[in-house]
Amino acid sequence: NIAGGTLTLRWSPPMLGGAPIDYVVEAGTGPGRADIATLPVGSATPVFTYTPVPAGRYFLRVRARSAAGLGPASDAVAFSAGVAGCGG
């Protein structure tokens, strides 16, 4: 969800593997890319909020981190911010 320049991303914890101790959100210019930012969430709560989101088109994915390390990336979610007529 993006509203008023604030992005709120929510997801379900992974069903397999160790219990997450943290998550990492990857932002990119295309699916599978993390060329804009790699942002640690800082908690095991499956929600991430970021503000202000600059205008543009983004692809986000989430990775869970457990005691065993960083897990595989989720599918990418695309959204646009600050572009008239675009919502996510």
Side-chain angles (χ1 to χ4, degrees):
N1 181 28
I2 187 155
T6 298
L7 167 73
T8 302
L9 183 65
R10 298 177 193 277
W11 59 92
S12 298
M15 300 294 289
L16 303 173
I21 56 175
D22 186 16
Y23 292 95
V24 174
V25 175
E26 298 176 340
T29 57
R33 300 185 74 172
D35 55 345
I36 295 175
T38 301
L39 306 165
V41 172
S43 90
T45 303
V47 64
F48 175 76
T49 302
Y50 187 85
T51 191
V53 177
R57 179 112 173 117
Y58 303 95
F59 293 81
L60 301 179
R61 357 185 255 171
V62 177
R63 293 178 184 262
R65 185 185 340 253
S66 70
L70 202 55
S74 67
D75 291 335
V77 174
F79 76 95
S80 296
V83 180
C86 294

